[in-house]
Amino acid sequence: MSLLKSAGENTMCRFRWIPSLAIHNPGVLASGMRSLGIALSIISVLLGSAVAQPYPSRPITMIVPFAAGGPTDTIGRIIAERLRVALGQPVIVENVTGAGGSIAVGRAVRATPDGYTLILGQWGTHVVVGAIYRLAYDLLNDFEPISLIVSNPWLVVAKKAMPADDLKGLTAWLRANPDKASAGTGGVGSPGHVFGVFFQAATGTRFSLIPYRGTAPAMQDLVAGQIDLMIDNPTNALPQVRAGAIKAYAVAAKKRMAIAPDIPTADEAGLPGFYLSHWHALWAPKGIPQNVIARLNAAMVEALADPAVRARFADLGQDIFPHDEPTPAALRSYHKAEIEKWWPIIKAANIKAE
């Protein structure tokens, strides 16, 4: 017992003595403070380097709001492949489907606004869904615009047996036969549906809009003569036009298509101002740093200037926006104008999500 007591007393003495020694020995105190300062400096450097890593320092996810293999997915993968070169990091495509793309867009809204989650959107996901769905996010104010990418002007086509030889003739025939013709669409709220409503308003015609489970089966019925006309995308329609299976009356754009220069514009065909474009663009969640927005936009400008990328988009019938338009401000303005144009048309036609 006396031994334990002695040991305990000696230990207590040592702990009492150390602070006293430090106080009365400035060298010991200074040495300790220097060690502490060095340790804090190392921690500060480590934390600072973690925070100050240049963007991007890890892979980026690009959410694509439709299934793999579709037009939007194809556009996304072309862009992702080229952004990898421009940014020096992999850009991983994540396909999220459902509810007209609104599920994918909603996921992007909830992502951390650090530039590592992007959303590839288009006319349907960032214009139409806002008019036909009750959304938990704001299409204009909950995203940071990065860049416009491509647009896809649509065609007015009809079955081979249609008696009209041009757009004026088609319009005259439809007016003379109200409610007798039928037009195929890719489904309720699809571009073909909304564009069909717009065509009727622009021409003063009336015809039935028949929803299909996609544009491919609608085109099959057009070729077979089961329906009379369609407003369709070039990828689906041009092969049949070239095969002589259907008639093409106009491209709904200001200029003719490079891949189909013989098809007149709507202006040339007698329906001025009838422009229909299914466009794509890139956004990020609201709140990402401005320097990250600038970095992403610069990478997009570089990608869209690449001759290989331009050739691939041209083969798909996609028009790259002019060089002065792929800016965040241009996308914001264009997006706002598209909502202001199409929402009244969609709501007036009482188009609802199925």
Side-chain angles (χ1 to χ4, degrees), residues 156 162-173 247-250 264 269:
V156 180
M162 177 64 67
D165 293 325
D166 53 30
L167 187 61
K168 287 182 178 179
L170 174 65
T171 300
W173 185 88
K247 293 181 176 181
Y249 292 114

Side-chain angles (χ1 to χ4, degrees), residues 231-258:
I231 298 177
D232 199 13
N233 68 79
T235 302
N236 195 44
L238 279 179
Q240 302 301 333
V241 172
R242 289 166 176 160
I246 61 174
K247 293 181 176 181
Y249 292 114
V251 55
K254 295 180 179 180
K255 63 179 183 178
R256 296 193 180 199
M257 298 178 64

Side-chain angles (χ1 to χ4, degrees), residues 38-253:
I38 292 170
L40 290 174
S41 296
I42 292 172
I43 292 172
S44 176
V45 168
L46 291 174
L47 289 176
S49 63
V51 172
Q53 284 182 324
Y55 173 86
S57 59
R58 55 187 172 86
I60 297 165
T61 295
M62 178 192 291
I63 298 175
V64 171
F66 296 101
T72 298
D73 178 71
T74 300
I75 290 169
R77 292 181 188 276
I78 292 172
I79 289 298
E81 179 183 324
R82 188 54 180 78
L83 286 181
R84 176 186 60 79
V85 177
L87 295 171
Q89 290 290 340
V91 178
I92 301 165
V93 172
E94 180 183 356
N95 298 95
V96 180
T97 63
S102 61
I103 293 175
V105 180
R107 179 179 296 188
V109 167
R110 296 188 297 272
T112 303
D114 55 7
Y116 290 97
T117 299
L118 309 175
I119 177 72
L120 177 69
Q122 37 103 310
W123 180 82
T125 62
H126 279 70
V127 177
V128 176
V129 294
I132 68 175
Y133 285 95
R134 189 183 299 274
L135 303 177
Y137 52 84
D138 188 298
L139 285 167
L140 279 173
N141 297 316
D142 285 342
F143 298 94
E144 298 287 358
I146 303 299
S147 175
L148 288 159
I149 303 175
V150 289
S151 65
N152 184 215
W154 281 39
L155 302 171
V156 180
V157 296
K159 64 183 181 181
K160 188 175 181 179
M162 177 64 67
D165 293 325
D166 53 30
L167 187 61
K168 287 182 178 179
L170 174 65
T171 300
W173 185 88
L174 290 171
R175 287 173 180 162
N177 296 275
D179 299 318
K180 293 183 180 180
S182 59
T185 77
V188 175
S190 67
H193 183 188
V194 178
F195 293 165
V197 169
F198 185 49
F199 180 80
Q200 291 181 86
T203 58
T205 58
R206 297 199 315 269
F207 49 84
S208 300
L209 291 162
I210 311 299
Y212 286 78
R213 297 178 67 86
T215 57
M219 179 55 67
Q220 291 175 0
D221 272 5
L222 185 67
V223 171
Q226 300 300 313
I227 55 176
D228 298 294
L229 67 150
M230 286 181 68
I231 298 177
D232 199 13
N233 68 79
T235 302
N236 195 44
L238 279 179
Q240 302 301 333
V241 172
R242 289 166 176 160
I246 61 174
K247 293 181 176 181
Y249 292 114
V251 55

